[in-house]
Amino acid sequence: MGKLSVTPIPAFNDNYIWCIAVDGEALLVDPGESAPALRHLRDAQLKLNAILITHHHWDHVGGVDDILQQHPGAKVVGPDGACPQIDQILTDGEQLQLLGIDFEVLAVPGHTLDHLAYYADKQRWLFCGDTLFSGGCGRLFEGTAGQMLASLTRLQSLPGDTAVYCAHEYTLSNLQFALKAEPNNTTLQHRYNYTKKLRERGESSLPSTIADEQAFNPFLRTAETSLRSCIARREGRNNLLQEEVFAALRAWKDNS
């Protein structure tokens, strides 16, 4: 296998389409918009091998049809019903090999019920769509707080050096909210200042790592005393279950 690269392709206002490239071939993850993806493939002189879909929302699948018109040999893989062009329906626990890269398929419901993530153990890569964001997590459009908590617990059990490639540049606003929940978290304070400088230079804040997220992402810290105490004060009661802490945190973020 030649040199591997992972490149963020900005799309819409804050989406990232991830392009994995090796030896002149490429995989695209969640191409919601065709024009930037096609432009990148052309400029980098890449042949598209496959498209990986995490879930059915339009900003993750909207570009698939146009892309396939120019790259008709590309295979589309993802959850059942995510888009009409799916060639291979994937489910939890399946092993997938594309361009010599071995991916494990992880079901991570919560944001949507069909949501999948793709984990490459050898490379320590996680493509998690809208389930885990840097400093945050996806809204609960279809799933429950319990489902999302279980999905995030599953992702945070991956090796700490796993690179987290999520689908949106939400980091700065996520960290602003996180500081409300854990204002004394010095790691969080430093990450916010670092991210602010990155974004001022127009640079991506991604990827982070699982270890990073465990240190400052409040949605991965609902078992931590500092976070639980904050939510207990807001809710006016102690002895909250972890799922209740998570649900209250998500509701707070939704309304902030």
Side-chain angles (χ1 to χ4, degrees):
M1 185 185 297
K3 183 179 179 181
L4 289 166
S5 66
V6 182
T7 304
I9 304 171
F12 303 115
N13 292 324
D14 52 33
N15 281 67
Y16 287 128
I17 302 164
W18 293 103
C19 180
I20 306 165
V22 56
D23 294 336
E25 294 193 78
L27 309 175
L28 291 178
V29 184
D30 284 351
E33 189 177 13
S34 60
L38 289 168
R39 184 166 54 248
H40 178 79
L41 293 172
R42 182 184 65 246
D43 292 349
Q45 298 184 320
L46 294 169
K47 176 186 176 183
L48 183 60
N49 179 280
I51 296 172
L52 284 71
I53 302 298
T54 62
H55 65 294
H56 66 267
H57 283 166
W58 67 271
D59 61 324
H60 295 254
V61 302
V64 171
D65 197 47
D66 286 347
I67 292 169
L68 290 178
Q69 289 183 32
Q70 295 196 32
H71 296 267
K75 180 180 182 179
V76 184
V77 303
D80 189 13
C83 64
Q85 301 86 359
I86 294 281
D87 295 305
Q88 181 179 353
I89 295 169
L90 299 173
T91 57
D92 185 48
E94 287 194 62
Q95 301 296 316
L96 180 70
Q97 187 179 83
L98 296 168
L99 297 186
I101 304 167
D102 293 314
F103 294 95
E104 181 182 359
V105 179
L106 306 175
V108 284
H111 179 65
T112 64
L113 294 179
D114 67 341
H115 207 302
L116 301 177
Y118 301 95
Y119 174 59
D121 180 64
K122 184 176 180 181
Q123 290 78 20
R124 293 290 200 267
W125 294 342
L126 174 67
F127 296 92
C128 52
D130 288 359
T131 296
L132 174 62
F133 295 131
S134 186
C137 73
R139 287 176 179 262
L140 305 179
F141 286 119
E142 296 176 7
T144 66
Q147 285 176 314
M148 182 62 102
L149 176 59
S151 294
L152 293 174
T153 300
R154 186 177 191 184
L155 294 184
Q156 76 179 103
S157 71
L158 296 173
D161 61 348
T162 299
V164 176
Y165 295 98
C166 55
H168 288 274
E169 183 57 72
Y170 289 162
T171 311
L172 194 60
S173 62
N174 284 340
L175 296 180
Q176 287 173 335
F177 171 76
L179 284 167
K180 297 178 183 179
E182 287 193 293
N184 298 319
N185 183 330
T186 56
T187 301
L188 171 57
Q189 294 166 3
H190 293 153
R191 189 68 173 204
Y192 173 79
N193 292 330
Y194 169 72
T195 301
K196 190 168 184 291
K197 292 176 182 176
L198 282 179
R199 298 304 295 149
E200 286 171 351
R201 297 195 298 265
E203 298 178 25
S204 173
S205 66
L206 303 171
S208 64
T209 68
I210 291 294
D212 291 337
E213 297 302 319
Q214 289 175 327
F216 60 71
N217 187 329
F219 293 96
L220 299 189
R221 294 175 57 80
T222 53
E224 299 293 328
T225 300
S226 55
L227 197 289
R228 293 179 63 84
S229 297
C230 173
I231 297 300
R233 288 193 298 273
R234 280 186 58 83
E235 296 297 298
R237 62 191 183 98
N238 294 314
N239 302 317
L240 293 168
L241 299 175
Q242 188 176 359
E243 182 178 334
E244 294 175 312
V245 173
F246 181 90
L249 181 68
R250 184 65 257 181
W252 183 13
K253 177 72 162 62
D254 290 344
N255 294 313
S256 65

